[in-house]
Amino acid sequence: MTPITVDPNSYYNAAKGLFDLTTDMSSAVAQAMTPGLKDTFGMGGHYPTVTNWNTAYKQHAADLIATIAAYAGAAQQLGDVLNLAGYNWHTANYNANRNPDKGAAPTKPAVTEAPSFGPGGIPPIPDPGTSSPSESRLTFWPDSAELLLRSTLTTMAVEIPDGNTETLNRAASGWRAFARHPAVAEANTRLNTITAMFDGIQAPDVSEVRDLLGALKTGASAISAATAGLITATVNHHDALTDLRTQIINATPRAFPNLSAKATVRTTGVDVMPASEGSDGEIIAGAGVYKDVISSHSLFALLSRATFEGMDGLGIRTRLTEIAGLRDDAIVRLDSYSSDPVKCTLNPNWQSELEKIDPDVQPWVGSAVKYGNAAGIDPRLVMAIVYNEGGYRSDSFIEREMSYAYDVFIREGGNLIRPNSLGLTNMKEGTFEDVKRIFRSEFEGKEWSDLKEDPDLAIKAATYNLKRIQDQYVGGVPDELKEKYTLDQFLAAGYNAERNIPDYFEAGDLGPVVQGYVRMTNTALDKAQQLLGGMYTCK
């Protein structure tokens, strides 16, 4: 197998680009969004029809903020993931370099500790609604006439809007400033540049890296589209409300033809000032004119629909949150499912290294490498399984001698009562028969009972059982599980409790019991690496 040489700088540079995106998004929120929306409380006002619009605005803004936080968190965490992946490629290249003057080993990068928006997160958007209507939504002189005018309009089921055009305009400007910030406006271009850093790299993790970066691009597009939707909805609300008040002002001479009334606009309503005090009849007649103007205006249909374009894409938040929760070594774990099988080849000094190994263990090492290479299973995993299941048998003379008697008189003899396991690698009869059925040529003429006195056969059976589990299940391993456990860890869990694999898939995690076996496998893998590392190069 030709070793893969990957330039770690592609990963390091991509990580830096993602960290820059995170920093810039924090700036966009702190410098544009938060101050731009700071004083927009109550902009929608308080009247029945506006309630639907206020509720929708508040919910969409909250969803957008949550998506922004998830996007920044995902970019930051993916930066850490790529930094560590680059370090692993850097280390692999360093270890493969036989030049004695190759310099110091790579330094493992530190991971980001602080959350992208600090401990407090993104401040909430001010509520667009108020608890009571503004008294200045429609004023009239004198106070008694104003009371009659308002009560008459209420009797006619006319709503008098009290939204604040100044703060509606301020909110639109705040969202617009956020949308124009390079963190938002240039996000997809920058992410395309980051993605292009992996062009031409023939590494097994590149496909997954592209998928993760693609999710970030989808998130960036969703943030941009949702922000544009909030701008449009707020501008439309502002413009319609402004137009309605203009029409009220224009209708005032018709409403009070004998009072020489003049009307002026304010941010939350209209002030009407007659030159003389009107009669009750004149006030009621004027209310009828206002009713026709207000009730037929398009503002109410606009608010009832409460249309906010571009919000559908915010569903990407779930995926961004998943990325933000990735382990720092997630790519390394995912790599293991797509990489070429590890094979071990003898080093030039293998004979001197062999002499350092316990004579009882020497043949196990040879069998693990022989069958692991042949089956496409990492020989170090095979050796780890040997340690997990029966390696303790080499620890002392009593254990070595007693293990055979235990297999013959207890395990094999008790199999009629309940299924037991035999041999160095603790294999049940049913499992052995499954392996023998699938790999007929490899186990022709062999029986389960042979395992008790043939460690080579036991290691071979364990290796091909791992191969069977890999062929049968790995294609269906969900990404959530791949991001938590390497291929070797999954295969070890399957070897220990294959019947539970469907439950692992459904939960996206390994059960608490088998995790103890995985931890034992991790220790055994370290031991196997130390054992094989002197004699073999495994890659």
Side-chain angles (χ1 to χ4, degrees):
M1 181 179 68
T2 302
I4 298 174
T5 301
V6 175
D7 182 3
N9 288 320
S10 297
Y11 294 79
Y12 294 147
N13 292 336
K16 182 181 182 304
L18 291 171
F19 292 144
D20 288 345
L21 273 177
T22 304
T23 300
D24 287 352
M25 182 57 80
S26 296
S27 297
V29 170
Q31 298 172 9
M33 178 195 294
T34 299
L37 302 174
K38 180 180 178 182
D39 296 319
T40 59
F41 173 80
M43 65 184 184
H46 180 97
Y47 53 102
T49 300
V50 82
T51 301
N52 191 39
W53 190 94
N54 285 345
T55 300
Y57 174 91
K58 185 176 181 179
Q59 183 61 59
H60 292 318
D63 289 343
L64 175 57
I65 284 178
T67 304
I68 292 167
Y71 167 84
Q76 178 173 285
Q77 184 59 22
L78 185 53
D80 282 330
V81 168
L82 292 182
N83 244 355
L84 186 57
Y87 164 76
N88 284 325
W89 282 118
H90 199 171
T91 301
N93 294 344
Y94 179 86
N95 291 338
N97 184 356
R98 299 301 181 185
N99 186 342
D101 299 324
K102 59 185 177 181
T107 301
K108 188 174 183 178
V111 298
T112 308
E113 297 293 341
S116 52
F117 289 102
I122 302 176
I125 299 301
D127 195 319
T130 58
S131 59
S132 60
S134 170
E135 289 300 317
S136 64
R137 62 192 185 279
L138 180 61
T139 65
F140 199 87
W141 178 84
D143 291 346
S144 57
E146 178 181 310
L147 180 61
L148 177 60
L149 178 62
R150 285 188 184 176
S151 63
T152 301
L153 288 171
T154 299
T155 301
M156 295 175 174
V158 176
E159 299 177 50
I160 307 174
D162 65 337
N164 191 317
T165 52
E166 180 182 351
T167 49
L168 282 168
N169 185 61
R170 185 180 302 145
S173 297
W175 288 119
R176 194 176 291 113
F178 175 72
R180 290 172 176 170
H181 193 283
V184 179
E186 300 173 8
N188 267 309
T189 300
R190 293 165 68 175
L191 283 164
N192 284 334
T193 299
I194 292 170
T195 304
M197 294 177 184
F198 296 92
D199 290 350
I201 294 181
Q202 301 299 315
D205 57 22
V206 168
S207 176
E208 183 64 27
V209 170
R210 289 183 179 277
D211 286 345
L212 293 169
L213 289 170
L216 282 180
K217 286 195 285 186
T218 300
S221 296
I223 290 169
S224 178
T227 304
L230 286 167
I231 294 170
T232 299
T234 307
V235 167
N236 289 343
H237 187 169
H238 168 275
D239 291 351
L241 182 58
T242 298
D243 183 74
L244 170 60
R245 288 174 178 160
T246 298
Q247 292 196 31
I248 291 174
I249 291 172
N250 291 341
T252 295
R254 299 197 316 274
F256 306 103
N258 300 320
L259 302 180
S260 301
K262 294 183 179 180
T264 55
V265 69
R266 67 167 68 220
T267 58
T268 56
V270 174
D271 296 329
V272 180
M273 178 60 68
S276 59
E277 188 171 348
S279 67
D280 288 355
E282 288 176 310
I283 301 302
I284 293 171
V289 174
Y290 283 160
K291 171 185 179 297
D292 293 340
V293 171
I294 296 172
S295 298
S296 62
H297 198 273
S298 60
L299 171 69
F300 297 93
L302 174 75
L303 298 179
S304 295
R305 288 193 302 269
T307 299
F308 288 76
E309 300 291 345
M311 302 301 157
D312 293 344
L314 296 181
I316 189 62
R317 184 177 77 196
T318 300
R319 179 59 179 145
L320 295 175
T321 302
E322 291 174 355
I323 296 173
L326 283 175
R327 294 173 58 116
D328 295 323
D329 57 357
I331 290 294
V332 180
R333 294 171 182 274
L334 290 162
D335 277 353
S336 66
Y337 290 84
S338 54
S339 299
D340 291 337
V342 171
K343 289 192 176 183
C344 298
T345 55
L346 281 170
N347 292 331
N349 61 336
W350 68 271
Q351 288 180 317
S352 61
E353 293 294 330
L354 178 63
E355 294 173 359
K356 300 176 184 178
I357 300 175
D358 185 321
D360 287 328
V361 177
Q362 288 178 8
W364 301 352
V365 174
S367 297
V369 172
K370 175 183 177 182
Y371 298 124
N373 284 348
I377 298 296
D378 189 339
R380 295 168 297 187
L381 174 61
V382 176
M383 200 65 215
I385 295 298
V386 171
Y387 279 127
N388 282 356
E389 302 293 340
Y392 59 85
R393 298 173 183 215
S394 68
D395 290 346
S396 70
F397 172 81
I398 293 177
E399 288 176 324
R400 289 196 295 268
E401 295 302 313
M402 289 301 294
S403 63
Y404 176 78
Y406 181 74
D407 278 346
V408 172
F409 297 112
I410 304 299
R411 285 181 165 172
E412 187 177 19
N415 200 51
L416 295 175
I417 301 173
R418 72 175 184 84
N420 281 312
S421 304
L422 285 183
L424 182 63
T425 54
N426 278 346
M427 185 167 287
K428 289 183 169 62
E429 185 174 12
T431 302
F432 181 83
E433 293 302 325
D434 285 343
V435 172
K436 182 178 177 179
R437 174 177 49 81
I438 295 172
F439 303 102
R440 293 180 181 178
S441 62
E442 298 292 340
F443 295 92
E444 185 176 357
K446 300 297 182 181
E447 302 298 334
W448 174 66
S449 58
D450 297 335
L451 295 176
K452 64 181 179 291
E453 55 189 6
D454 190 344
D456 180 78
L457 178 64
I459 294 173
K460 183 176 183 180
T463 303
Y464 280 92
N465 189 39
L466 291 167
K467 171 67 172 173
R468 179 185 64 83
I469 293 169
Q470 177 174 281
D471 292 348
Q472 182 172 342
Y473 296 107
V474 167
V477 178
D479 287 344
E480 186 179 2
L481 197 62
K482 289 181 179 179
E483 291 166 356
K484 297 175 182 176
Y485 304 98
T486 64
L487 173 62
D488 284 352
Q489 289 171 330
F490 171 75
L491 293 178
Y495 191 95
N496 177 252
E498 181 182 348
R499 66 184 180 277
N500 294 330
I501 288 179
D503 295 334
Y504 304 155
F505 283 9
E506 183 177 355
D509 203 351
L510 300 180
V513 175
V514 81
Q515 286 184 14
Y517 189 86
V518 171
R519 288 192 292 272
M520 185 167 63
T521 301
N522 293 339
T523 300
L525 280 167
D526 290 340
K527 190 173 181 179
Q529 175 60 42
Q530 293 171 9
L531 188 65
L532 273 65
M535 290 181 60
Y536 298 90
T537 295
C538 299
K539 59 185 180 181

